[in-house]
Amino acid sequence: MLVRLAAASLWARALTVGMTILAIALSVALFLGVEKVRTGAKASFANTISGTDLIVGARSGSVQLLLYSVFRIGNATNNVTWDSYLDLADRPEVDWIVPISLGDSHRQFRVMGTTTDFFDHYKYRRDRGLVTAQGAIMDDLFDAVIGSDVAATLGYSVDDPIVVAHGIASFTEHKDQPFRVSGILEKTGTPVDRTVIVSMEAIEAIHVDWRSGAKIPGQTTPPDEIRQMDLTPKAVTAALVGVTSPLKTFSLQRAVNEYREEPLLAILPGVALQELWGIVGIAETALLAVSVMVVVTALIGLMATIFSSLNERRREMAILRAMGASPWTILALLVLEAALTAAVGAVLGVALLYGVLAVAQPMVDAAFGLFLPITPPSLAELWVLLGVIAAGAIVSMVPAVRAYRLSLSDGMTVRT
Amino acid sequence: MGAAAIDLHGVAFHWPGRGAFGLSIPSLTVAPGETVLLLGDSGSGKSTLLSLICGTVVAQSGTVAVAGTDLAGLSGAGRDRHRADHVGVIFQQFNLLPFGTVQDNILLPLRFAPNRRQRCPDPRKTAAQLCAALGLPDGVLVQRAASLSVGQQQRVAVARALIGQPPILVADEPTSALDETSQAQFLDLLFGQVAAQGSTLVMVSHDPRMAPRFDRVLSMADVIQKGAA
């Protein structure tokens, strides 16, 4: 009966209580939403590259190698010679190996030279492969496959010409050897979306007339002539490696790191990703802290609502006291009301979150490549909800204790 | 007759933190089944006296015995329980929880009073009977208390005070919000039910016109020594 009366009392103040519930619901939805985005982003990040056992590059730091080889951020300090690459490819532990060559750009996007094996072996989000949305992967020497962001930003479609610039943020262009967009990849949510992919030979081809980073004055080899040339690469920036058995990953890593001909570094992408997340993860903590503050603000709002209702409810409390309710019952009633309010707010918040998720999930995936899984609330999220309800009950103790004191001093008479 | 329904002796009380305001009652005894009117102006300490009888405040000295129990010997929770079981209360106005139904309001004291609960094996039926006896319309039980007229609300308050047959009824100016015709009707119904249950009735009022209905009429001035606490 008391629970029913508490509910009826809340219902009688539907407008103010409704506003409080809405504030709690929004804060809970925000908190859980941030949590979803955070875990989604973390999972997306960790799944930027999967299925690759080792990334091999010139010796630097593991995060740096990961940054330039996978995220196309920063530059390699050095290259891996083609001979070393072939040595590595010949090792028995190597199941497959894909070279990548970086250094040129197109507008704000990086150009990456690789082989068509890249499209078979580069996986993201566990087992998803690269798929062309339009056109096909490169067939000709001067074909380029572009990521979805490149196409969307620059408005490219299949068969459009592309001129690659030498270096990054450079005004010197490889105008003599224009490329053709042969295919556009589907959105992946990985750095591939922002990459122009050409063949290893193409990288060599556009540098035929270049020496030591500068164009040889007056020399312009026609494309047809280039096609006849030996375009075997002299170096690669890094290589993605798959091993024959997971057990051999570490022995191959050691072998690469101890390679005598050249200082090389082999990294486990998963471990390096974890390391990198440790650096960028500070932002997630900040985000979480902000959403916690929002929940706290909503709960303080709840406390303020109870406080402001106390005076108009002194009569109600006096009636309950006259009927034999102890001051503790009055206190318990207020705490119960607050817990009910917080509970309704929390449940509404969850409903709101799932509603928004259901609508926004495909859009977020398409726009940011961020996949937000719609799963039942996890145990941790249920704890959060319980925590919000408990916190609601706890903050209501402050006005409830005041109500307790008032009901003691008022007795059955109300002096306002 | 057994012990007095209400027995106050050498009582001194003052509100904490309110300076000299207080009251002292040398002696006041009300017999079981007696109806007593306490007449006094506002501020004469009537409500404080009722609070003492109900045990929501405790005298600093003296004895306050209600239904044969000295309230000073009970804990706070014990006094709350004792009040719930033995005393039905009717206020001046705004007696009801406006958001509850009439039935919720009438059954509310039973929630806190095990003895009254025992005496009332079928509370809903009893509530309906009380409503009918007090001239409330059919179907009133499921209405929200706030939707009733003031006169009807006061009658619901009487039903609530009577349910489970508490031995003592305490009423604090229950007719002051009613017009003259309604007052008379209300008092007829109240006295009819009090007589039917054999309850003790203590009513405080500033209106001497209703004095003839009571067994005994006391002036607050005679009962208390104000400010002497």
Side-chain angles (χ1 to χ4, degrees):
Chain A
M1 186 187 197
L2 283 184
V3 177
R4 204 154 53 76
L5 279 178
S9 171
L10 286 174
W11 185 247
R13 289 170 281 125
L15 190 67
T16 44
V17 172
M19 291 295 167
T20 312
I21 286 177
L22 189 66
I24 293 174
L26 284 174
S27 73
V28 165
L30 178 73
F31 180 80
L32 293 181
V34 163
E35 190 61 15
K36 282 255 184 249
V37 170
R38 192 178 70 87
T39 47
K42 194 173 179 178
S44 263
F45 186 81
N47 286 325
T48 305
I49 180 164
S50 38
T52 297
D53 297 309
L54 288 172
I55 300 173
V56 178
R59 191 166 298 163
S60 54
S62 56
V63 170
Q64 193 192 0
L65 175 53
L66 181 79
L67 278 176
Y68 70 72
S69 65
V70 176
F71 291 94
R72 328 248 187 278
I73 297 170
N75 293 303
T77 44
N78 214 337
N79 281 336
V80 178
T81 61
W82 188 245
D83 287 343
S84 300
Y85 173 79
L86 291 178
D87 261 5
L88 184 63
D90 281 343
R91 288 190 68 92
E93 302 98 321
V94 174
D95 181 29
W96 56 264
I97 183 163
V98 176
I100 55 177
S101 181
L102 297 157
D104 290 323
S105 62
H106 174 68
R107 306 283 183 92
Q108 67 267 50
F109 301 104
R110 296 291 185 100
V111 173
M112 181 179 85
T114 185
T115 63
T116 50
D117 287 346
F118 180 77
F119 297 94
D120 296 329
H121 293 298
Y122 181 85
K123 303 278 183 219
Y124 67 101
R125 227 182 263 178
R126 290 189 189 285
D127 54 359
R128 291 214 198 174
L130 300 173
V131 180
T132 48
Q134 292 170 46
I137 60 170
M138 58 269 195
D139 189 29
D140 183 67
L141 182 61
F142 292 109
D143 276 354
V145 174
I146 59 175
S148 65
D149 286 357
V150 179
T153 310
L154 303 177
Y156 286 162
S157 48
V158 174
D159 286 339
D160 280 354
I162 281 191
V163 173
V164 173
H166 184 75
I168 295 146
S170 155
F171 296 105
T172 325
E173 293 187 320
H174 297 287
K175 281 185 192 150
D176 306 325
Q177 297 91 14
F179 283 80
R180 175 190 76 99
V181 175
S182 71
I184 297 169
L185 294 172
E186 269 184 9
K187 180 98 184 163
T188 63
T190 70
V192 171
D193 295 343
R194 299 183 298 278
T195 307
V196 175
I197 302 170
V198 300
S199 66
M200 289 299 286
E201 291 77 17
I203 296 287
E204 289 301 315
I206 56 177
H207 292 108
V208 162
D209 299 328
W210 290 61
R211 189 102 343 123
S212 307
K215 197 166 188 306
I216 300 164
Q219 185 176 322
T220 304
T221 315
D224 284 342
E225 203 171 308
I226 292 175
R227 287 178 199 280
Q228 308 304 318
M229 296 168 75
D230 175 18
L231 296 171
T232 305
K234 292 171 193 67
V236 302
T237 309
L240 309 181
V241 180
V243 293
T244 48
S245 150
L247 297 172
K248 296 187 177 149
T249 309
F250 292 103
S251 61
L252 181 61
Q253 185 185 23
R254 196 164 50 246
V256 171
N257 289 342
E258 289 171 359
Y259 187 67
R260 288 176 181 281
E261 312 293 322
E262 189 177 1
L264 296 180
L265 174 70
I267 59 165
L268 299 159
V271 174
L273 280 166
Q274 287 282 335
E275 229 176 288
L276 188 52
W277 186 258
I279 300 166
V280 299
I282 294 168
E284 72 173 328
T285 316
L287 202 61
L288 205 61
V290 170
S291 54
V292 166
M293 289 310 292
V294 174
V295 175
V296 169
T297 310
L299 289 174
I300 290 173
L302 170 68
M303 185 163 80
T305 310
I306 301 173
F307 254 124
S308 66
S309 74
L310 277 191
N311 236 357
E312 60 182 273
R313 298 177 67 196
R314 282 171 93 167
R315 167 59 57 183
E316 186 185 325
M317 292 184 249
I319 292 168
L320 285 166
R321 288 283 284 139
M323 295 308 111
S326 69
W328 287 110
T329 309
I330 307 283
L331 185 139
L333 257 180
L334 286 181
V335 172
L336 179 71
E337 277 186 26
L340 268 177
T341 309
V344 173
V347 170
L348 200 69
V350 172
L352 197 69
L353 173 69
Y354 280 97
V356 169
L357 267 184
V359 175
Q361 189 199 38
M363 292 189 246
V364 172
D365 198 7
F368 305 108
L370 181 62
F371 182 72
L372 302 172
I374 301 180
T375 47
S378 66
L379 197 63
E381 285 167 336
L382 289 178
W383 276 112
V384 167
L385 295 185
L386 262 181
V388 168
I389 296 167
I394 290 167
V395 296
S396 75
M397 290 295 240
V398 183
V401 165
R402 175 154 168 75
Y404 174 94
R405 292 221 177 105
L406 278 178
S407 72
L408 268 185
S409 67
D410 281 352
M412 304 184 317
T413 51
V414 178
R415 275 166 283 268
T416 47
Chain B
M1 280 220 164
I6 298 167
D7 195 8
L8 278 74
H9 263 293
V11 171
F13 172 80
H14 62 86
W15 288 98
R18 294 193 195 183
F21 182 85
L23 49 83
S24 116
I25 302 161
S27 175
L28 172 65
T29 307
V30 181
E34 194 180 11
T35 58
V36 175
L37 177 65
L38 285 165
L39 282 173
D41 296 328
S42 55
S44 61
K46 299 181 302 240
S47 298
T48 306
L49 174 57
L50 292 190
S51 292
L52 278 167
I53 293 171
C54 288
T56 51
V57 296
V58 186
Q60 276 82 19
S61 63
T63 314
V64 179
V66 176
T69 305
D70 183 1
L71 297 186
L74 298 176
S75 64
R79 287 198 306 276
D80 290 335
R81 168 80 67 85
H82 185 269
R83 171 171 69 255
D85 267 333
H86 297 92
V87 186
V89 181
I90 307 165
F91 291 117
Q92 202 168 348
Q93 57 175 335
F94 309 121
N95 259 293
L96 309 180
L97 299 177
F99 45 80
T101 62
V102 168
Q103 181 168 281
D104 285 338
N105 272 283
I106 294 177
L107 302 187
L108 186 60
L110 300 183
R111 167 71 182 69
F112 304 102
N115 289 350
R116 281 167 78 176
R117 223 164 28 230
Q118 257 177 11
R119 283 197 289 265
C120 187
D122 190 348
R124 281 153 205 261
K125 194 173 155 199
T126 312
Q129 284 168 346
L130 281 168
C131 284
L134 289 162
L136 287 161
D138 284 345
V140 75
L141 282 174
V142 293
Q143 285 184 28
R144 254 164 54 93
S147 67
L148 269 53
S149 71
V150 178
Q152 286 176 324
Q153 287 191 27
Q154 288 303 83
R155 281 185 255 171
V156 171
V158 173
R160 184 180 61 189
L162 287 168
I163 197 161
Q165 299 175 323
I168 299 164
L169 243 65
V170 161
D172 187 358
E173 306 221 31
T175 56
S176 65
L178 305 177
D179 60 52
E180 214 161 315
T181 325
S182 308
Q183 276 185 10
Q185 264 182 357
F186 175 83
L187 290 171
D188 286 345
L189 291 165
L190 174 64
F191 273 83
Q193 289 304 308
V194 166
Q197 292 201 357
S199 309
T200 306
L201 172 67
V202 177
M203 187 186 290
V204 297
S205 176
H206 65 277
D207 184 0
R209 285 172 301 172
M210 60 179 86
R213 293 174 181 266
F214 289 82
D215 297 337
R216 191 149 54 112
V217 179
L218 296 168
S219 156
M220 276 304 285
D222 298 335
V223 173
I224 63 168
Q225 292 173 1
K226 212 183 152 196

